[in-house]
Amino acid sequence: MVLKILNAAKKYWYFALICLIFSVGIACRLEVLFARELWFDEISLAANFTENSGFFWVFKPLQYHQIAPPLFLLCTKIMVSIFGINEFSLRLVPFLSGIASFFVFYKLSKTVLKTRVSILFANFLFATNAVMARFASEFKQYGIDVLVFMLLLMWLSGDFARNKEGVNEGAERFDIKAILKYSTVFTLLFFVSQPVVFLLFGFVLYNIILSLKQDGIKNYSKIFKIISISFIPLVFVLAYKFSMSKDLSLVMNNYWENVLPGFISFSKMKEILLQNYYFFTLGCKYMAVFAPFALFGFFIFLKRGSKISKIFALSLLGALFASILHLYPFVARIILFLLPFVFIFIAICFDFDIPNKRLKILVSSALILGITAATLLFQAKIFCKNRADILLGTSGNRELVLFLKENFDKERDVIILPETSIASFRYYSSLLNFKAGYEDRNFEVKKLAGRGGKDFAWVYLSFNMEEDLRLLDKEILALIKGNKICYEITLSKWARLFKLKLED
């Protein structure tokens, strides 16, 4: 009986541990889905849903300096139409993408890694990473970027069983049917996830290099056919790029140059590396230990010479070029789609067979017990407990707008909004059916000269007190300092509300 139990345990331990890791990862994402209020970027994107009717607005430039793929917005609009506008419906598409990413990542790890222990380790890192959990339930497109990038890369890599070690790697025949197939896939997926462009670059360049190796420059017609795959997608990419307003382009360029540097240059390289390091370890300080393994594992991944590693490397090169040319930032959440590969690079350092059978059993058993214990401790919030700050943060904006609704006097009061608070105020005002008598959205504070018949001014700061004050119009700052503060409400570390008694 005991032998039967031991044999069964030996047979099913791998499946049981994978199920445990998946269950803990999904539970963590479910917790975030229902526990966290919308924050600044999410609210700014959500406000577009309260201020636009129908479906076709998703293909137009967005308000409040937001950028998001139109098909992602369209899918969210369908969810909102079914469930109403709330945190759940807005986050449902990223959440479902996050759950699907588990299974896709598992397939990816089995494709790249050889040993069961390294596969388990990679999936443990993926499931318990606080950043991955956060963006699997955040109303932005970054979690979807992760899913689409992995799926498309695996599809482009073809038959993994044959290409795993680089054998039987032949150039495809690019006839009209194949060109249209790839062009259509890249074009459609670009409207779901922008990093698809980098895979287009990597895939086309990979096949050009392969063609040059096999046939040389003489087969220029084949090279032209390969390049022609990019024609249709690039037309839509450029149309999308030039449809952005000049104001949005200026705001985005300023943000990625000065507020959070993301465009690669010699002068900003150190800052970009530090920002990516902080993002890499956000909510998971233990990941700092694995940073050297990630770098070393990247070179092991390239050295294996598989088709998937070559296309990935060339795609990464495309992303770096785009950042150097100020076309796409290479920092933090914008490159979240690369994070699953960091887990692969870490795990690949442990992806080797030990010739000695007893030593192999000893080392494997220790790693398996460690992964199991860490997974259980993570679920119990004993291990990596500071992730709660990342996953369960509450902005407090709903409560402040509700307080305003209950205490705002249309006859005597006026509301002053810095630019960073407009979207939040309008979103929650719409949800709470709050119609303010006066909303100074253009910072025309001079209209209050002589109080304009008003006795009190409410200044609503929705996100990051210090950042809001730094960006405030000088006249609004003067207004706050030059009038008596009746009271001030602060909720969490984000939202703040002043009530000012206007002086004569």
Side-chain angles (χ1 to χ4, degrees), residues 45 67-69 72 138-146 192 194:
L45 188 55
I67 302 173
F72 158 62
E138 179 153 312
F139 178 46
K140 294 291 288 184
Q141 64 271 26
Y142 309 121
I144 296 165
D145 290 344
V146 170
V192 178
Q194 291 186 9

Side-chain angles (χ1 to χ4, degrees), residues 175-186:
D175 53 18
I176 295 297
K177 185 178 178 181
I179 291 169
L180 287 175
K181 176 183 72 174
Y182 286 117
S183 294
T184 303
V185 169
F186 278 114

Side-chain angles (χ1 to χ4, degrees), residues 191-249:
F191 288 111
V192 178
S193 171
Q194 291 186 9
V196 162
V197 174
F198 307 133
L199 280 172
L200 172 63
F201 176 87
F203 180 67
V204 168
L205 188 56
Y206 166 80
N207 281 285
I208 289 174
I209 293 171
L210 197 60
S211 179
L212 289 172
K213 281 183 177 180
Q214 293 177 346
D215 306 318
I217 194 68
K218 61 182 180 180
N219 198 352
Y220 59 86
S221 62
K222 184 178 179 181
I223 294 174
F224 177 79
K225 287 178 181 178
I226 295 169
I227 294 173
S228 67
I229 292 170
S230 63
F231 290 170
I232 297 175
L234 286 181
V235 167
F236 285 95
V237 170
L238 291 172
Y240 183 79
K241 177 72 176 174
F242 288 116
S243 68
M244 295 179 189
S245 65
K246 287 186 178 180
D247 177 56
L248 177 60
S249 297

Side-chain angles (χ1 to χ4, degrees), residues 104-281:
V104 176
F105 181 78
Y106 176 66
K107 173 64 177 174
L108 175 67
S109 63
K110 284 188 68 178
T111 298
V112 177
L113 304 171
K114 301 173 183 178
T115 64
R116 285 186 168 185
V117 173
S118 62
I119 292 169
L120 286 170
F121 186 39
N123 281 271
F124 163 76
L125 292 174
F126 184 92
T128 59
N129 185 267
V131 174
M132 293 303 300
R134 170 182 168 177
F135 285 96
S137 58
E138 179 153 312
F139 178 46
K140 294 291 288 184
Q141 64 271 26
Y142 309 121
I144 296 165
D145 290 344
V146 170
L147 175 64
V148 172
F149 195 88
M150 289 191 296
L151 271 175
L152 185 55
L153 178 59
M154 288 196 291
W155 180 68
L156 294 173
S157 301
D159 186 348
F160 300 119
R162 288 181 298 160
N163 290 321
K164 194 167 185 179
E165 298 301 329
V167 297
N168 294 332
E169 185 183 4
E172 280 190 60
R173 292 184 60 189
F174 289 100
D175 53 18
I176 295 297
K177 185 178 178 181
I179 291 169
L180 287 175
K181 176 183 72 174
Y182 286 117
S183 294
T184 303
V185 169
F186 278 114
T187 301
L188 287 175
L189 288 181
F190 171 74
F191 288 111
V192 178
S193 171
Q194 291 186 9
V196 162
V197 174
F198 307 133
L199 280 172
L200 172 63
F201 176 87
F203 180 67
V204 168
L205 188 56
Y206 166 80
N207 281 285
I208 289 174
I209 293 171
L210 197 60
S211 179
L212 289 172
K213 281 183 177 180
Q214 293 177 346
D215 306 318
I217 194 68
K218 61 182 180 180
N219 198 352
Y220 59 86
S221 62
K222 184 178 179 181
I223 294 174
F224 177 79
K225 287 178 181 178
I226 295 169
I227 294 173
S228 67
I229 292 170
S230 63
F231 290 170
I232 297 175
L234 286 181
V235 167
F236 285 95
V237 170
L238 291 172
Y240 183 79
K241 177 72 176 174
F242 288 116
S243 68
M244 295 179 189
S245 65
K246 287 186 178 180
D247 177 56
L248 177 60
S249 297
L250 288 172
V251 168
M252 288 293 101
N253 284 333
N254 177 65
Y255 182 82
W256 296 118
E257 280 277 9
N258 303 311
V259 181
L260 180 63
F263 295 128
I264 294 174
S265 65
F266 287 113
S267 61
K268 300 287 178 68
M269 184 60 71
K270 181 181 177 182
E271 195 167 355
I272 289 172
L273 288 173
L274 285 174
Q275 287 290 345
N276 284 325
Y277 172 78
Y278 295 145
F279 186 77
F280 176 71
T281 58

